[in-house]
Amino acid sequence: MALAPSRFAFRRRLALLALSGVVGTMSLNPSQAAAADDVARSLNAMIPSVKEENKAWEGLFDAYLDLTPCPEEIGADFGQVDVWTGMDGWEAMSDWASANVETVKALQEAAKKVIIGLPYGEDNVDARFREAGLVARVRIESGGDIDVAFPYLKAFETFSTWSAAEMYRRFEAGEWEAGFTAAIANARVLRHLCDRHMLVEKSGAMLMLAEAMSIMRDAMWTYVEKIPAEEYRRFSIEELPFLRFSDAERLKRLEMPEGDRVVVEAILEEVFDGSSSPNPERLGEVFGAMQADTSELSRFGATKRWVRIADVHSSLDASKEKLTNVYDDWWRRWRIRPYDPIQELPTDFSLLNEVRYAIITESISDLQDLFGLRKRLMVEINGTILGCGLCGYRAEFGKWPRDREMAYARFIPKRFDFDPFDKQYGRFLFDYLGSRKKAVDTDYGRIFIEECVVYARGQDHEDSKFSEASLDGLTGDMIVWPPLRALAREQDLID
């Protein structure tokens, strides 16, 4: 039996970046250590100024500390997408959800807040949170080392896993409203988390929210014969469209992260060490460790490469100027329509000399992937609203609609029928198969689907007639309905 694609592959890749772990640790002299303290202050200055009672982080962390241990270790090998009633150990997961039922209240309260608001730097949180790793770390060690990492994200992965278990537990008991309530409360908290200022935080939150949407579709498909039409209508019309007010169907309020620029500037100051050119040994030590894997031999080779680069790397002032230009260019592109003619022009990042500006290209290359991730998240959210509306139609009329427009108004807000991968700003693609079965090559293997199909075009912007589909749209289309993971389980492709 084939295994499901790794949910955390992209997140693991991000964790290897300088901006996640930041380059292991970096030894700093006293003046540089003071500059590293400035990094935390600069990051905290980016957090909107709101009253403490309008920040969600403390209530959430208290709720996390109150949670009993999950029966499965949550991490790279197990997470929210693995939770369903047919999983090995479902009874234990159901009991865990039941034992922590008060968690939903904490999520609902957090969802009402303005921001997550967690400050950067361990010294800015209570000791009980530090001891549990619930920090956004910008740490200066006694020897002058700086370490930037975000272990607090484990709490949000745990909340998401609990919410999936609670939704399925409630659905099994026929408690539809309670199940949907747990799912939407968690989704709204994740949407708040998407507003954090570092790439790893924002990417992790966006991926967790995308996964949470897909789990909702799995559950709606699984219980489509039982959930009342009015519950589907309430969820698709009154709940899902308001993950965050004013986001609408295009996530207009989702900003590009800019905290990484602050960290990269600190890295530049560190490796230049007060000179006009990089310190070869320090550049090799910092970026050799960041670029190489755990093999000492490969690390040695990477270190030697960076030592040679120091001889031809641009000056500190030129590097800072290029860093600013790259971010300003990305910032403009983030705010305009995806298919505006300016998007076809080469980015400032793509025009960088990869050797003369190697520090910049190595440090922030993954930020450009966020543009595609934002589109994927739009597909996941909008597709969940459409899938929910189609289920509502079926629950009321006993059959799937031959055209999605039959479900508009009562079950689907029409504005959410929006495919961000369509260059004409058009709708999702829809096909009615009826009892005909069609084979689709997916990340799970070959799946056979029937009835009505809703899908987005994928990142090649082409309609492949859903003959091939992937979870992220990198190859083929993105099928949002019926949910592929649920079908793969039914067809014994995955556990």
Side-chain angles (χ1 to χ4, degrees):
M1 185 176 297
L3 296 175
S6 174
R7 305 156 306 284
F8 298 96
F10 183 61
R11 228 173 292 170
R12 277 200 297 266
R13 182 161 61 91
L14 288 174
L16 296 175
L17 292 175
L19 306 181
S20 173
V22 175
V23 302
T25 55
M26 300 189 299
S27 299
L28 308 177
N29 62 40
S31 64
Q32 291 165 335
D37 285 329
D38 290 339
V39 170
R41 284 193 290 271
S42 296
L43 292 174
N44 286 328
M46 293 181 177
I47 298 175
S49 180
V50 301
K51 294 180 179 179
E52 288 301 315
E53 59 262 32
N54 291 324
K55 298 177 182 179
W57 68 278
E58 287 191 88
L60 284 170
F61 288 175
D62 280 333
Y64 175 74
L65 294 179
D66 288 339
L67 276 168
T68 59
C70 180
E72 297 281 347
E73 177 65 28
I74 297 171
D77 297 321
F78 182 84
Q80 59 177 325
V81 299
D82 299 299
V83 175
W84 69 297
T85 57
M87 65 175 285
D88 290 338
W90 162 247
E91 185 175 349
M93 287 297 296
S94 178
D95 289 344
W96 176 61
S98 179
N100 296 281
V101 69
E102 293 298 313
T103 302
V104 72
K105 295 180 180 178
L107 293 174
Q108 287 178 306
E109 282 300 310
K112 297 174 185 176
K113 305 293 185 180
V114 177
I115 58 174
I116 295 295
L118 173 67
Y120 294 92
E122 289 179 301
D123 293 339
N124 295 315
V125 303
D126 190 271
R128 69 186 189 281
F129 298 146
R130 289 199 301 271
E131 292 169 4
L134 299 174
V135 294
R137 191 157 60 233
V138 182
R139 183 170 61 193
I140 305 300
E141 304 281 9
S142 58
D145 293 341
I146 178 173
D147 179 23
V148 180
F150 308 100
Y152 80 88
L153 290 174
K154 175 69 174 292
F156 290 88
E157 292 180 349
T158 302
F159 287 136
S160 295
T161 304
W162 177 86
S163 296
E166 177 69 356
M167 178 179 63
Y168 275 112
R169 182 182 76 87
R170 294 289 193 173
F171 282 5
E172 280 289 282
E175 299 171 357
W176 316 116
E177 183 176 356
F180 279 131
T181 294
I184 198 64
N186 179 65
R188 286 178 175 161
V189 168
L190 290 177
R191 176 58 191 88
H192 278 320
L193 189 64
C194 288
D195 290 327
R196 294 291 288 177
H197 300 286
M198 296 291 289
L199 172 64
V200 172
E201 297 176 286
K202 187 175 289 285
S203 298
M206 291 169 70
L207 284 164
M208 281 189 274
L209 181 53
E211 290 176 350
M213 291 292 113
S214 72
I215 294 165
M216 292 180 197
R217 297 198 300 276
D218 289 346
M220 289 187 293
W221 172 267
T222 302
Y223 297 92
V224 69
E225 301 285 353
K226 299 179 180 180
I227 299 177
E230 184 55 32
E231 281 300 317
Y232 284 122
R233 191 207 66 79
R234 182 181 67 83
F235 199 52
S236 63
I237 297 292
E238 301 175 11
E239 300 286 359
L240 280 172
F242 302 104
L243 283 176
R244 181 169 181 130
F245 292 108
S246 301
D247 259 347
E249 69 281 3
R250 303 187 187 191
L251 292 179
K252 292 180 179 179
R253 292 282 297 274
L254 185 62
E255 298 288 348
M256 190 185 83
E258 296 203 52
D260 302 81
R261 172 162 52 181
V262 173
V263 178
V264 175
E265 287 175 349
I267 293 173
L268 285 168
E269 293 284 355
E270 204 282 321
V271 297
F272 275 82
D273 196 22
S275 302
S276 59
S277 58
N279 179 311
E281 289 74 21
R282 196 68 191 104
L283 186 65
E285 177 184 351
V286 170
F287 283 90
M290 183 184 85
Q291 191 176 55
D293 57 23
T294 56
S295 164
E296 289 298 326
L297 183 60
S298 62
R299 179 171 296 180
F300 175 73
T303 298
K304 288 188 65 176
R305 172 180 175 269
W306 281 98
V307 169
R308 292 195 298 270
I309 285 175
D311 293 333
V312 294
H313 200 281
S314 63
S315 68
L316 177 60
D317 288 341
S319 297
K320 285 185 175 181
E321 181 180 358
K322 286 294 184 182
L323 180 64
T324 298
N325 292 343
V326 166
Y327 264 87
D328 286 350
D329 178 46
W330 273 340
W331 186 86
R332 287 190 297 270
R333 292 169 188 266
W334 185 269
R335 287 175 169 265
I336 62 177
R337 288 192 168 199
Y339 306 110
D340 188 288
I342 195 174
Q343 302 281 20
E344 300 298 322
L345 299 176
T347 65
D348 280 27
F349 182 81
S350 69
L351 296 174
L352 286 178
N353 184 303
E354 294 185 3
V355 177
R356 287 185 54 78
Y357 298 101
I359 295 174
I360 298 173
T361 58
E362 184 67 25
S363 298
I364 62 173
S365 61
D366 273 43
L367 198 145
Q368 60 193 339
D369 293 338
L370 209 62
F371 286 79
L373 182 54
R374 181 174 61 165
K375 291 179 185 176
R376 174 187 171 184
L377 183 55
M378 290 182 203
V379 171
E380 297 281 4
I381 295 173
N382 296 348
T384 302
I385 292 173
L386 261 70
C388 188
L390 294 175
C391 286
Y393 182 95
R394 188 186 186 284
E396 183 153 302
F397 297 104
K399 58 184 179 181
W400 297 103
R402 290 181 171 273
D403 192 305
R404 80 196 101 178
E405 294 189 12
M406 299 169 71
Y408 282 171
R410 174 155 170 73
F411 294 107
I412 299 173
K414 186 175 180 179
R415 69 184 185 278
F416 285 93
D417 188 0
F418 168 68
D419 177 4
F421 292 112
D422 178 17
K423 290 187 176 182
Q424 303 303 315
Y425 302 97
R427 301 187 298 174
F428 281 96
L429 296 159
F430 180 94
D431 199 352
Y432 182 76
L433 297 173
S435 60
R436 292 183 295 116
K437 290 187 178 182
K438 179 172 179 177
V440 184
D441 290 325
T442 75
D443 293 326
Y444 302 107
R446 178 159 291 186
I447 290 176
F448 293 91
I449 61 176
E450 55 187 328
E451 302 295 352
C452 55
V453 183
V454 180
Y455 61 103
R457 289 160 178 79
Q459 298 198 38
D460 61 1
H461 314 302
E462 300 292 333
D463 176 8
S464 68
K465 305 298 182 183
F466 61 95
S467 60
E468 180 182 13
S470 59
L471 299 177
D472 54 13
L474 286 175
T475 58
D477 300 320
M478 286 186 66
I479 296 177
V480 293
W481 195 262
L484 296 181
R485 183 169 52 242
L487 292 180
R489 285 167 176 160
E490 290 179 1
Q491 296 174 28
D492 293 327
L493 295 175
I494 60 173
D495 294 325

